[in-house]
Amino acid sequence: MLVLGIESSCDETGVAIYDDERGLLAHAIHTQIPIHAQYGGVVPELAGRDHIKRVVPLIRKVMQDAQLQLTDLNAVAYTAGPGLIGALLVGAMEARALAFALNIPAIPVHHMEGHLLAPMLESNPPSFPFVALLVSGGHTMLIKVAAPGSYEILGESVDDAAGEAFDKTAKLLGLPYPGGPKLEALANEPHADSSAYHFPRPMIDRPNLDFSFAGLKTAVLNAVHKSTDLEADKASIARCFEDAVADTLYHKCQKALDKTKMNTLVVAGGVSANSAIREALTTLMAQRKGQVFFARKEFCTDNGAMIALAGMLRFKAGERGSLEVNVFPRWPLSSLKPL
C-alpha cells in the first residue's frame, strides 16, 4: 500500500511517499528560511502563501522520483495540527482535494506523533514500549509510549520550550534566524570555554518531569548585559547555554526512565539534531546499558516522510477522515486514540 504524506504546519513544506513493504520511496522538502530570515522569525501569513506555491510542485516531484502515478496511491495523509492555522489549511485542503478526486481516504495526522515516529524510518527502528523525548521549537515533552497511539505525557514545558530557548538565546547573541544551528556552530568554536559560565539546570531537582527554560534564557540575558566584550564572550556563552540544556535533558530523561522502569529512549524533534544533546543522551543510555534512537538529522525538522509513516500506521489500523477540512492549531497529543 502507498500513502502520500503532506506536511505544512509551519515553515517547511514536506511531501513523501511511504510503502508499507518497501518503506520510504521518495521525499522532498522546501524550507522557507530565506523568506522569514529577513524578519527574524516565522511570519504566519507568508508561511501560508509559500505553502500554496510549493505543495503541488513537490507532489509532482516525489511522484516522479518514485516513478508512480497519483492513481497508484491508496491514501493521503496530512498534518492536521498542531501548527499555524493558515499553513495547516494549505496541506489539509490539498490532501482532501486529492483524496476526493482519487476516491481514496484522507488521514489526518498529529504533527508531534509524526516526530515521535520519525526514528521508525531508520533501518534499525526502536521496539515498543519506550520513553520518547520530543524537543522542538514549540514543545519539550517526555512521553511513555506503550504502542503507536498510546501516549502518556510524563512531563512537558511549562514556559519556553527548548527550541524556543535556543532561538531566543541566539537572538540575544546577535545571530541570524534560524538561531539554533548557528548557536551550535558558535558553541563549537575552538575558543569556547565550557567553564566560563554556570547557567542553571532548571527543575532538575524537582520530583516531576516538567521542563522550564525561561529562567535559563534570563541567565543568558544577564550574562550578555554584564559582558564587557560580548564578541569575545559569545562562543563561551553559547557553549555554556548548550551544555545547560543538554544536562537538563539528560537528568530529566534519566528520571523518566527510572519512573517507567524502561531502558529504551527515542529522541525526536528539530532540537534533537543538536550534537551536544545527542552526545549527552547517548552517554546516558550507554551508562544504563540501554538503547537510544534518533531520527536522521534531515528528519528531525518538519518533513513529509514522518507524516506519511504515521498516516500509513493509522490507515492500516482502519482510521479514515471525514470529507470536512478540519485543522487543529492546538491539539493535545494525549487525546489520540491507541491503534
Side-chain angles (χ1 to χ4, degrees):
M1 290 189 290
L2 295 167
V3 170
L4 178 74
I6 300 173
E7 155 61 27
S8 68
S9 65
C10 190
D11 58 348
E12 272 107 13
T13 314
V15 179
I17 300 173
Y18 190 85
D19 183 279
D20 65 334
E21 294 182 353
R22 293 177 290 167
L24 183 65
L25 301 185
H27 73 97
I29 301 173
H30 174 80
T31 180
Q32 299 177 3
I33 287 175
I35 295 174
H36 302 295
Q38 57 190 311
Y39 302 102
V42 177
V43 181
E45 176 68 17
L46 295 181
R49 289 177 180 270
D50 197 65
H51 286 307
I52 293 171
K53 291 169 57 178
R54 308 296 177 180
V55 65
V56 171
L58 286 177
I59 291 172
R60 288 175 177 156
K61 174 175 170 47
V62 297
M63 297 304 299
Q64 183 177 5
D65 290 348
Q67 299 183 330
L68 295 169
Q69 302 296 320
L70 288 174
T71 50
D72 295 323
L73 297 174
N74 299 103
V76 183
Y78 66 95
T79 302
L84 303 174
I85 187 167
L88 290 168
L89 281 168
V90 175
M93 289 189 291
E94 179 64 27
R96 292 295 182 187
L98 275 175
F100 182 78
L102 298 170
N103 194 29
I104 58 176
I107 314 297
V109 171
H110 193 290
H111 180 74
M112 298 311 293
E113 180 175 52
H115 275 302
L116 189 153
L117 296 173
M120 299 288 181
L121 292 163
E122 304 307 314
S123 58
N124 179 34
S127 300
F128 298 95
F130 54 77
V131 170
L133 171 67
L134 295 185
V135 276
S136 68
H139 300 82
T140 306
M141 307 171 70
L142 278 165
I143 307 156
K144 179 181 177 181
V145 181
S150 180
Y151 308 129
E152 178 187 346
I153 308 300
L154 301 173
E156 56 190 332
S157 48
V158 297
D159 43 51
D160 289 1
E164 189 176 2
F166 265 92
D167 288 340
K168 289 180 177 178
T169 296
K171 195 169 186 178
L172 288 173
L173 296 176
L175 302 177
Y177 172 87
K182 293 177 175 61
L183 188 146
E184 179 180 2
L186 183 62
N188 288 328
E189 290 288 331
H191 62 283
D193 182 359
S194 62
S195 62
Y197 301 88
H198 182 74
F199 294 134
R201 276 62 172 160
M203 299 177 70
I204 64 170
D205 294 327
R206 297 192 184 182
N208 64 43
L209 293 170
D210 289 334
F211 300 89
S212 169
F213 291 104
L216 174 56
K217 177 195 67 181
T218 301
V220 173
L221 175 64
N222 291 335
V224 169
H225 286 168
K226 291 178 181 178
S227 174
T228 57
D229 188 353
L230 185 56
E231 283 303 315
D233 294 340
K234 277 184 179 181
S236 296
I237 292 174
R239 173 65 183 274
C240 294
F241 164 81
E242 191 179 65
D243 287 349
V245 174
D247 201 28
T248 300
L249 297 177
Y250 175 103
H251 286 286
K252 288 292 186 177
C253 287
Q254 186 176 49
K255 287 184 178 181
L257 292 163
D258 288 343
K259 180 177 180 178
T260 59
K261 295 180 172 55
M262 292 183 182
N263 216 18
T264 301
L265 179 66
V266 168
V267 188
V271 183
S272 69
N274 179 273
S275 297
I277 291 173
R278 288 188 173 223
E279 183 179 343
L281 297 179
T282 299
T283 298
L284 168 65
M285 298 314 293
Q287 291 169 344
R288 297 177 65 94
K289 295 181 171 53
Q291 289 183 295
V292 61
F293 296 86
F294 301 94
R296 72 187 80 164
K297 291 195 176 183
E298 67 179 312
F299 292 153
C300 289
T301 54
D302 297 347
N303 63 86
M306 67 183 192
I307 302 305
L309 171 60
M312 174 63 79
L313 293 176
R314 293 198 166 271
F315 174 58
K316 292 181 73 172
E319 288 201 8
R320 303 292 184 269
S322 68
L323 291 176
E324 297 177 353
V325 178
N326 289 323
V327 295
F328 310 96
R330 296 184 183 275
W331 187 7
L333 182 66
S334 58
S335 67
L336 296 182
K337 296 178 181 178
L339 301 184

PDB file of all heavy atoms in Angstrom, residues 15-16 41 65 86 115 146 149 175 196 208 220 257 261 272 317:
ATOM      1  N   VAL A  15       6.779  16.689   1.457  1.00  0.00           N
ATOM      2  CA  VAL A  15       5.934  15.698   0.795  1.00  0.00           C
ATOM      3  C   VAL A  15       6.736  14.407   0.669  1.00  0.00           C
ATOM      4  O   VAL A  15       7.944  14.443   0.402  1.00  0.00           O
ATOM      5  CB  VAL A  15       5.488  16.181  -0.604  1.00  0.00           C
ATOM      6  CG1 VAL A  15       4.634  15.114  -1.288  1.00  0.00           C
ATOM      7  CG2 VAL A  15       4.715  17.485  -0.510  1.00  0.00           C
ATOM      8  N   ALA A  16       6.081  13.270   0.884  1.00  0.00           N
ATOM      9  CA  ALA A  16       6.784  11.988   0.796  1.00  0.00           C
ATOM     10  C   ALA A  16       5.807  10.881   0.428  1.00  0.00           C
ATOM     11  O   ALA A  16       4.588  11.021   0.592  1.00  0.00           O
ATOM     12  CB  ALA A  16       7.471  11.662   2.125  1.00  0.00           C
ATOM     13  N   GLY A  41      12.072  35.719  12.261  1.00  0.00           N
ATOM     14  CA  GLY A  41      11.168  34.681  12.761  1.00  0.00           C
ATOM     15  C   GLY A  41      10.069  34.407  11.752  1.00  0.00           C
ATOM     16  O   GLY A  41       9.952  35.100  10.725  1.00  0.00           O
ATOM     17  N   ASP A  65       9.900  11.008  -8.796  1.00  0.00           N
ATOM     18  CA  ASP A  65      11.059  10.319  -8.217  1.00  0.00           C
ATOM     19  C   ASP A  65      10.740   8.864  -7.891  1.00  0.00           C
ATOM     20  O   ASP A  65      11.617   7.991  -8.013  1.00  0.00           O
ATOM     21  CB  ASP A  65      11.509  11.043  -6.938  1.00  0.00           C
ATOM     22  CG  ASP A  65      12.144  12.394  -7.231  1.00  0.00           C
ATOM     23  OD1 ASP A  65      12.442  12.684  -8.402  1.00  0.00           O
ATOM     24  OD2 ASP A  65      12.326  13.176  -6.266  1.00  0.00           O
ATOM     25  N   GLY A  86      -3.243  28.877   9.113  1.00  0.00           N
ATOM     26  CA  GLY A  86      -3.210  29.107   7.673  1.00  0.00           C
ATOM     27  C   GLY A  86      -2.332  28.109   6.955  1.00  0.00           C
ATOM     28  O   GLY A  86      -2.683  27.620   5.868  1.00  0.00           O
ATOM     29  N   HIS A 115       6.694  13.353  14.487  1.00  0.00           N
ATOM     30  CA  HIS A 115       8.056  13.469  15.006  1.00  0.00           C
ATOM     31  C   HIS A 115       8.419  12.259  15.866  1.00  0.00           C
ATOM     32  O   HIS A 115       9.523  11.709  15.751  1.00  0.00           O
ATOM     33  CB  HIS A 115       8.192  14.742  15.846  1.00  0.00           C
ATOM     34  CG  HIS A 115       8.490  15.968  15.044  1.00  0.00           C
ATOM     35  ND1 HIS A 115       9.592  16.066  14.229  1.00  0.00           N
ATOM     36  CD2 HIS A 115       7.835  17.157  14.939  1.00  0.00           C
ATOM     37  CE1 HIS A 115       9.606  17.262  13.647  1.00  0.00           C
ATOM     38  NE2 HIS A 115       8.552  17.934  14.065  1.00  0.00           N
ATOM     39  N   ALA A 146       3.515   3.203  24.883  1.00  0.00           N
ATOM     40  CA  ALA A 146       3.261   1.769  25.013  1.00  0.00           C
ATOM     41  C   ALA A 146       3.132   1.105  23.647  1.00  0.00           C
ATOM     42  O   ALA A 146       3.528  -0.049  23.455  1.00  0.00           O
ATOM     43  CB  ALA A 146       2.001   1.528  25.835  1.00  0.00           C
ATOM     44  N   GLY A 149       0.071   5.369  19.089  1.00  0.00           N
ATOM     45  CA  GLY A 149      -1.185   5.985  19.505  1.00  0.00           C
ATOM     46  C   GLY A 149      -1.441   5.929  21.000  1.00  0.00           C
ATOM     47  O   GLY A 149      -2.323   6.614  21.502  1.00  0.00           O
ATOM     48  N   LEU A 175      22.764  36.479  16.586  1.00  0.00           N
ATOM     49  CA  LEU A 175      22.854  35.505  15.493  1.00  0.00           C
ATOM     50  C   LEU A 175      21.598  35.579  14.626  1.00  0.00           C
ATOM     51  O   LEU A 175      20.496  35.761  15.127  1.00  0.00           O
ATOM     52  CB  LEU A 175      23.010  34.094  16.058  1.00  0.00           C
ATOM     53  CG  LEU A 175      24.228  33.874  16.968  1.00  0.00           C
ATOM     54  CD1 LEU A 175      24.217  32.462  17.523  1.00  0.00           C
ATOM     55  CD2 LEU A 175      25.511  34.140  16.208  1.00  0.00           C
ATOM     56  N   ALA A 196      33.348  28.958  31.580  1.00  0.00           N
ATOM     57  CA  ALA A 196      33.288  30.415  31.744  1.00  0.00           C
ATOM     58  C   ALA A 196      32.041  30.861  32.500  1.00  0.00           C
ATOM     59  O   ALA A 196      32.064  31.855  33.223  1.00  0.00           O
ATOM     60  CB  ALA A 196      33.352  31.092  30.385  1.00  0.00           C
ATOM     61  N   ASN A 208       8.966  16.173  39.690  1.00  0.00           N
ATOM     62  CA  ASN A 208       8.191  15.995  38.458  1.00  0.00           C
ATOM     63  C   ASN A 208       9.112  15.993  37.242  1.00  0.00           C
ATOM     64  O   ASN A 208      10.321  16.202  37.330  1.00  0.00           O
ATOM     65  CB  ASN A 208       7.114  17.075  38.325  1.00  0.00           C
ATOM     66  CG  ASN A 208       7.699  18.466  38.189  1.00  0.00           C
ATOM     67  OD1 ASN A 208       8.664  18.688  37.476  1.00  0.00           O
ATOM     68  ND2 ASN A 208       7.102  19.433  38.880  1.00  0.00           N
ATOM     69  N   VAL A 220      21.133  33.862  30.587  1.00  0.00           N
ATOM     70  CA  VAL A 220      21.936  34.241  29.424  1.00  0.00           C
ATOM     71  C   VAL A 220      21.832  35.744  29.186  1.00  0.00           C
ATOM     72  O   VAL A 220      22.836  36.415  28.893  1.00  0.00           O
ATOM     73  CB  VAL A 220      21.490  33.462  28.177  1.00  0.00           C
ATOM     74  CG1 VAL A 220      22.204  33.984  26.929  1.00  0.00           C
ATOM     75  CG2 VAL A 220      21.754  31.971  28.348  1.00  0.00           C
ATOM     76  N   LEU A 257      13.103   7.437  32.692  1.00  0.00           N
ATOM     77  CA  LEU A 257      13.423   6.023  32.505  1.00  0.00           C
ATOM     78  C   LEU A 257      13.328   5.270  33.829  1.00  0.00           C
ATOM     79  O   LEU A 257      12.841   4.131  33.879  1.00  0.00           O
ATOM     80  CB  LEU A 257      14.825   5.890  31.904  1.00  0.00           C
ATOM     81  CG  LEU A 257      14.957   6.399  30.462  1.00  0.00           C
ATOM     82  CD1 LEU A 257      16.423   6.619  30.114  1.00  0.00           C
ATOM     83  CD2 LEU A 257      14.316   5.439  29.482  1.00  0.00           C
ATOM     84  N   LYS A 261      10.605   2.434  34.504  1.00  0.00           N
ATOM     85  CA  LYS A 261      11.357   1.166  34.516  1.00  0.00           C
ATOM     86  C   LYS A 261      11.616   0.667  33.088  1.00  0.00           C
ATOM     87  O   LYS A 261      11.597  -0.540  32.819  1.00  0.00           O
ATOM     88  CB  LYS A 261      10.633   0.112  35.355  1.00  0.00           C
ATOM     89  CG  LYS A 261      10.551   0.472  36.837  1.00  0.00           C
ATOM     90  CD  LYS A 261       9.834  -0.595  37.631  1.00  0.00           C
ATOM     91  CE  LYS A 261       9.931  -0.328  39.133  1.00  0.00           C
ATOM     92  NZ  LYS A 261       9.463   1.005  39.544  1.00  0.00           N
ATOM     93  N   SER A 272      16.556  17.838  18.414  1.00  0.00           N
ATOM     94  CA  SER A 272      17.300  16.581  18.577  1.00  0.00           C
ATOM     95  C   SER A 272      18.431  16.454  17.566  1.00  0.00           C
ATOM     96  O   SER A 272      19.254  15.539  17.664  1.00  0.00           O
ATOM     97  CB  SER A 272      16.361  15.375  18.457  1.00  0.00           C
ATOM     98  OG  SER A 272      15.889  15.213  17.134  1.00  0.00           O
ATOM     99  N   ALA A 317      -4.648   0.759  10.447  1.00  0.00           N
ATOM    100  CA  ALA A 317      -5.449   0.476  11.642  1.00  0.00           C
ATOM    101  C   ALA A 317      -6.939   0.760  11.412  1.00  0.00           C
ATOM    102  O   ALA A 317      -7.754   0.566  12.323  1.00  0.00           O
ATOM    103  CB  ALA A 317      -4.945   1.298  12.814  1.00  0.00           C
TER     104      ALA A 317
END
